Amino acid sequence: MIRSLLALSILIAAAPASARKLPEIRVAMVSYGETPARVVGELEPLARRLEKAARGRANLLFAFGTYGDVVSWVELGKVDAAIVTPGVLGYLVHHSSGAAATWRYLGSEKTPADNHAACVTAADSPLKTLDDVRAAQAAGGAEFLFVDLLSVSGRILPQIALERAGINIAPEDVLYTSSHGTSLQKLLAERGEKPRVACVWERLLNEPANKGKFQTLDLPELRATPAPPDALLAVGTSPATKVLERAARGMRADLETDAPWRERALEVWRSYERVEDQGGRHFLSRVSLDGLASLLVAHKSLYGTEPRLAVVFSGGGAKCSYQVGAVRALEERLQKLRAEYKDPALDIGLVVGTSGGAINATAVALGAADNPEDYEAFKQTWLDLDQRKIIRPSLAVRANMGVWFAACQDLIFLGLAMLYARGKRRSAEWWGRRLLLLGAAQLALAALPIRPWWLFGDDAVLHHLFLWAMWGVCGGGVIQCVSGAALVLLHRRGRITRLREELTVAVLLALVIVLPVLQTIRMLWVEPTLSQNVGILELVTEKFPMLMHSTAPADADKNAQLRAMSREVFARGLLKRDLALTGSRLAAPGATLPGDLYFYAPASDSSPAPNYGERGVALRDRPEMLFDAMMGSGAIYPVFPARTLRDFPVPGESADIVDGSFSHRSPVEAAVLWGATHIVVLEASPEEISPRGAFAANIGAALTHLYDQAQLLDEHSKQHVTTLTLYPSPPHIGLLDFSGDLIAASVARGYRETLGRGALGGAPFHKEPGEPRFLKLER
């Protein structure tokens, strides 16, 4: 993300020891990830001049970050100085009151004469004029490549000029590349469905490598408006900042200090507000998928070590289907990145999952999203989830529903028959035959091999009503067939000649009223869980062998199949990425296990060892437990029953494992403790604030607050590594919306939004500011 990020390896080296210890000045810089050749010739001029001016007075340490990083470090006083872009300066001036500001303006770089932006297309693009762009928009749209939300030359000025020329840009038509150079590369190397326009520094077009490859759209206003210069700020009042200010006084010949910098900064911010909807909570720290790629590529250059990328799958039941499309988009981008840089380390090294995300993590660790064929099988696994099997209460609960459903139907049927019979009495056999027909029709309907979710569109309430109705239809059909056959038989044997219709109505009405009360009592005080979770077990034993390129073990016992599949994963070395799954152990007398567990499995002997301590459970030592751990992590207790691990932790003992998201909704800590340098968190739920108001709403908000407090370990862990989080855009499907149409739409939306083509816009990730990491540059 910052102008100098990718190639600073050429400048990083150990400084020679000094006879006297000089003070250190910690300098923050916004960085873009340009190519090495460009960084050498164009490293931030202010950084070069500042280093020269401070020579003999102080040692300069530089920390490089995104716009959001630098703003955070300045506002929290984590640096002594900052070299900021016009967008960052505009933000700081707008959001800082004079008395409360933690920083002081020291001066700006003198504006280069060629500091202009340009809107360009590839030389062979059909978009050669602004009229061509307008025509393309009318025919379905053009795609615009911007550098960053706060980039003045790479986004703000060009977008304003385009809009004044009558070209209004929709958020779904924007991609943020994180780099001027990447924008130009994408014009040449990647041709999307829509023709593309890139907004970059005009001077890049004059470089020998770029001459003749691009054409510039005619925007006189943009050509006449130079981008404002970068600025040097002092932060705080430490002794280091005093040295900095003395060094800055020696740079007066190179700095503009008398210009109306504050008004200029506010004008930049007003320009930003014209083109950006700030409704999102993290608008300042939004990053694109290409921005993530730049961070990975830059890591080795900056720090001399390979990046270790972890993908964390949060919990959320059916909502986790969003992660399936999201991780596929991530895999595709990483494949292009590895091909471009010929570096196999630019890949996912670790996957971590909890709850519903544990299923996704296990599949991705097996390589289910890194090629189109396996991805289709992976996606189909989610599409085949049928809520009629997954949300399946006990037989007693379903029987109660069947009796109630049958009573409701019979009451309506009997009432209508009595209303239109005009006093005519029917025989018991007459009633029995019709009940038989009604029951048989319902059983036939329940037995149809169809998945009717498409009938209800995206209305989850209708999906669940249909689910409950089908339980009633099935149970009611059995009861009506039995009762109808009994009436026919008793009538023919002379036991019953006529039905006492008034008494029957009274009995049916009593059942309709009493049965829901009994059902409520049973479900709250008798039944241990809402569902038996048989559907997930059946699906895993049926579908995961396809992801393993294996066949399901021939064993009628599903649990035995699960253990055999687990052993096969380790016997054949099927894991392609290190895998960690979280689980929560239910309390038990005399238990020796912690309540918070990490089940982990390295993909190879060369994988680093995690620092999980007593919470870690090495699955290589217990190869039969892999899928049991996955099922336990996904057991949304008490909706689903706990998963019991036999002979664990020692022979003769057992442990009940439930939803890992009780302690780790998004288990970032597991990734940090296993050596991740970069983490992508794929959330399953939108980032929303619980509503408050009425008592019931406040109870929900209080429970959400308590749940959030249990996640503080993971929140604090985000500060230690580079963490990017993707949230689905609202509205999203619900926890138990296991129906084909809703799942398919969720998967597709995850893919689109990760690429930056959805409601979240072209920069869908939120990057945590984290802590600055300082480097010493060679003098």
Side-chain angles (χ1 to χ4, degrees):
M1 329 246 56
I2 286 180
R3 207 165 334 181
S4 316
L5 196 102
L6 185 55
L8 284 172
S9 58
I10 302 171
L11 301 171
I12 298 171
S18 177
R20 58 188 181 88
K21 184 173 177 60
L22 298 177
E24 292 180 342
I25 300 178
R26 303 166 300 163
V27 185
M29 287 179 59
V30 176
S31 161
Y32 284 116
E34 297 287 358
T35 63
R38 184 166 298 122
V39 172
V40 172
E42 204 177 288
L43 181 61
E44 190 68 63
L46 273 181
R48 290 183 179 277
R49 294 186 179 111
L50 178 61
E51 198 277 339
K52 181 179 179 180
R55 190 168 300 169
R57 300 181 181 182
N59 287 322
L60 264 60
L61 303 178
F62 290 89
F64 303 93
T66 63
Y67 290 100
D69 291 333
V70 173
V71 166
S72 173
W73 298 339
V74 169
E75 291 181 333
L76 296 177
K78 293 185 177 182
V79 295
D80 304 308
I83 296 172
V84 299
T85 61
V88 171
L89 184 60
Y91 175 92
L92 290 171
V93 170
H94 176 76
H95 288 82
S96 300
S97 62
T102 60
W103 54 272
R104 298 180 303 286
Y105 175 82
L106 298 180
S108 297
E109 176 192 0
K110 290 185 176 179
T111 306
D114 61 348
N115 204 38
H116 298 281
C119 294
V120 302
T121 62
D124 58 351
S125 170
L127 305 182
K128 301 184 182 302
T129 66
L130 293 177
D131 288 336
D132 294 336
V133 177
R134 296 187 192 96
Q137 285 189 311
E143 200 164 53
F144 295 85
L145 305 180
F146 293 145
V147 171
D148 195 279
L149 288 157
L150 266 178
S151 173
V152 174
S153 57
R155 189 256 176 140
I156 297 174
L157 292 180
Q159 186 167 346
I160 291 174
L162 288 167
E163 289 181 351
R164 285 177 175 169
I167 299 172
N168 294 312
I169 302 171
E172 59 270 19
D173 290 333
V174 173
L175 288 180
Y176 291 99
T177 65
S178 83
S179 154
H180 293 266
T182 302
S183 292
L184 293 179
Q185 291 172 14
K186 281 183 169 292
L187 281 185
L188 300 177
E190 298 180 24
R191 302 300 171 91
E193 298 177 359
K194 301 176 181 179
R196 287 177 166 177
V197 177
C199 300
V200 298
W201 282 315
E202 185 182 50
R203 61 177 177 271
L204 296 185
L205 305 180
N206 297 323
E207 294 183 354
N210 292 330
K211 283 189 175 180
K213 295 181 179 179
F214 304 99
Q215 52 191 353
T216 303
L217 297 177
D218 185 19
L219 283 165
E221 177 185 349
L222 187 59
R223 183 70 182 82
T225 308
D230 294 345
L232 175 63
L233 309 180
V235 181
T237 57
S238 69
T241 58
K242 301 299 182 184
V243 176
L244 170 71
E245 290 173 338
R246 288 197 297 270
R249 284 195 288 269
M251 300 168 58
R252 293 307 185 192
D254 299 314
L255 293 179
E256 294 178 352
T257 56
D258 298 328
W261 65 271
R262 186 177 296 274
E263 291 73 15
R264 185 171 57 194
L266 287 173
E267 179 58 33
V268 168
W269 184 254
R270 285 190 288 269
S271 297
Y272 172 76
E273 289 179 322
R274 287 184 52 188
V275 296
E276 177 63 17
D277 176 11
Q278 298 178 46
R281 176 180 170 189
H282 301 302
F283 72 94
L284 190 65
S285 56
R286 284 164 57 187
V287 176
S288 67
L289 191 57
D290 284 309
L292 167 64
S294 294
L295 291 171
L296 292 174
V297 170
H299 180 86
K300 185 175 181 179
S301 296
L302 285 170
Y303 307 116
T305 59
E306 296 288 356
R308 178 167 166 81
L309 173 63
V311 178
V312 172
F313 296 90
S314 72
K319 295 186 286 187
C320 295
S321 54
Y322 177 90
Q323 300 166 344
V324 177
V327 75
R328 178 55 186 159
L330 176 60
E331 293 266 26
E332 289 178 346
R333 183 65 184 95
L334 290 174
Q335 287 172 358
K336 293 177 181 177
L337 200 63
R338 290 194 297 274
E340 181 180 353
Y341 287 92
K342 297 179 176 57
D343 187 352
L346 300 174
D347 196 0
I348 300 170
L350 168 65
V351 286
V352 182
T354 191
S355 191
I359 296 176
N360 289 336
T362 305
V364 171
L366 292 168
D370 63 3
N371 65 81
E373 295 76 19
D374 287 341
Y375 173 67
E376 287 302 317
F378 179 27
K379 183 170 66 173
Q380 192 61 46
T381 299
W382 274 92
L383 296 179
D384 288 342
L385 289 170
D386 190 335
Q387 58 180 315
R388 290 174 294 185
K389 293 183 178 180
I390 294 173
I391 311 170
R392 189 174 179 83
S394 68
L395 180 60
V397 172
R398 284 180 280 134
N400 181 296
M401 294 174 63
V403 174
W404 183 82
F405 202 84
C408 289
Q409 291 182 79
D410 292 347
L411 186 62
I412 295 171
F413 177 52
L414 183 60
L416 290 174
M418 292 173 62
L419 179 65
Y420 290 102
R422 297 178 181 177
K424 183 177 180 180
R425 296 284 181 175
R426 307 288 188 183
S427 68
E429 183 172 352
W430 186 90
W431 288 109
R433 287 177 177 177
R434 281 151 182 79
L435 286 179
L436 272 170
L437 287 174
L438 183 59
Q442 291 183 86
L443 289 177
L445 176 63
L448 288 175
I450 60 173
R451 300 171 65 84
W453 312 118
W454 58 272
L455 292 171
F456 311 116
D458 58 359
D459 191 330
V461 174
L462 291 180
H463 287 249
H464 291 301
L465 286 176
F466 173 81
L467 170 67
W468 286 81
M470 288 306 296
W471 285 331
V473 163
C474 187
V478 171
I479 291 168
Q480 286 172 334
C481 285
V482 171
S483 58
L487 284 175
V488 171
L489 183 62
L490 291 173
H491 180 269
R492 290 183 177 180
R493 292 183 176 181
R495 301 286 183 88
I496 299 178
T497 56
R498 295 189 182 280
L499 207 62
R500 298 179 62 181
E501 295 171 354
E502 291 79 5
L503 178 61
T504 304
V505 168
V507 171
L508 291 174
L509 187 59
L511 288 174
V512 169
I513 295 172
V514 172
L515 284 176
V517 177
L518 296 178
Q519 185 80 300
T520 301
I521 293 173
R522 180 174 186 87
M523 292 186 69
L524 292 179
W525 285 283
V526 178
E527 293 292 328
T529 60
L530 171 64
S531 174
Q532 299 168 325
N533 205 18
V534 175
I536 295 287
L537 178 60
E538 291 179 349
L539 193 77
V540 170
T541 53
E542 176 187 348
K543 297 295 185 180
F544 262 77
M546 298 171 59
L547 302 180
M548 297 162 55
H549 299 282
S550 177
T551 56
D555 196 322
D557 184 346
K558 298 295 184 184
N559 292 305
Q561 287 187 31
L562 213 63
R563 290 190 290 272
M565 290 163 51
S566 295
R567 294 188 192 97
E568 183 180 354
V569 168
F570 292 100
R572 292 175 52 198
L574 297 180
L575 288 178
K576 296 183 178 180
R577 281 86 180 241
D578 296 341
L579 171 66
L581 305 173
T582 72
S584 301
R585 177 191 56 78
L586 292 181
T592 58
L593 278 174
D596 172 20
L597 299 174
Y598 290 139
F599 299 88
Y600 69 93
S604 68
D605 294 336
S606 61
S607 297
N611 186 24
Y612 294 154
E614 64 176 1
R615 292 183 294 165
V617 180
L619 291 173
R620 280 181 175 269
D621 298 336
R622 299 174 181 272
E624 75 284 352
M625 274 181 23
L626 170 60
F627 288 109
D628 271 317
M630 183 189 80
M631 294 285 292
S633 181
I636 309 172
Y637 191 79
V639 176
F640 299 141
R643 187 75 179 173
T644 300
L645 303 183
R646 306 291 180 188
D647 294 321
F648 176 74
V650 295
E653 293 187 10
S654 63
D656 290 332
I657 305 300
V658 296
D659 196 337
S661 65
F662 279 119
S663 300
H664 300 283
R665 177 181 56 205
S666 304
V668 172
E669 186 200 38
V672 173
L673 293 178
W674 205 347
T677 61
H678 297 72
I679 298 175
V680 171
V681 181
L682 299 179
E683 290 285 354
S685 302
E687 190 181 28
E688 298 175 317
I689 298 175
S690 298
R692 296 190 297 272
F695 180 67
N698 289 341
I699 290 177
L703 292 174
T704 300
H705 174 72
L706 291 175
Y707 182 61
D708 288 342
Q709 296 308 298
Q711 316 300 321
L712 293 181
L713 272 178
D714 293 307
E715 288 300 316
H716 293 157
S717 296
K718 291 180 179 179
Q719 300 176 12
H720 302 295
V721 296
T722 301
T723 305
L724 282 73
T725 304
L726 176 69
Y727 296 95
S729 63
H732 194 31
I733 65 175
L735 183 75
L736 299 177
D737 289 345
F738 292 102
S739 54
D741 277 30
L742 298 180
I743 293 290
S746 176
V747 172
R749 191 151 57 94
Y751 182 82
R752 290 195 311 272
E753 291 186 348
T754 304
L755 292 176
R757 297 190 176 96
L760 299 174
F765 293 91
H766 160 59
K767 183 184 179 299
E768 300 287 343
E771 296 293 325
R773 185 172 179 179
F774 295 100
L775 298 168
K776 187 178 294 185
L777 304 188
E778 183 180 358
R779 295 187 186 278

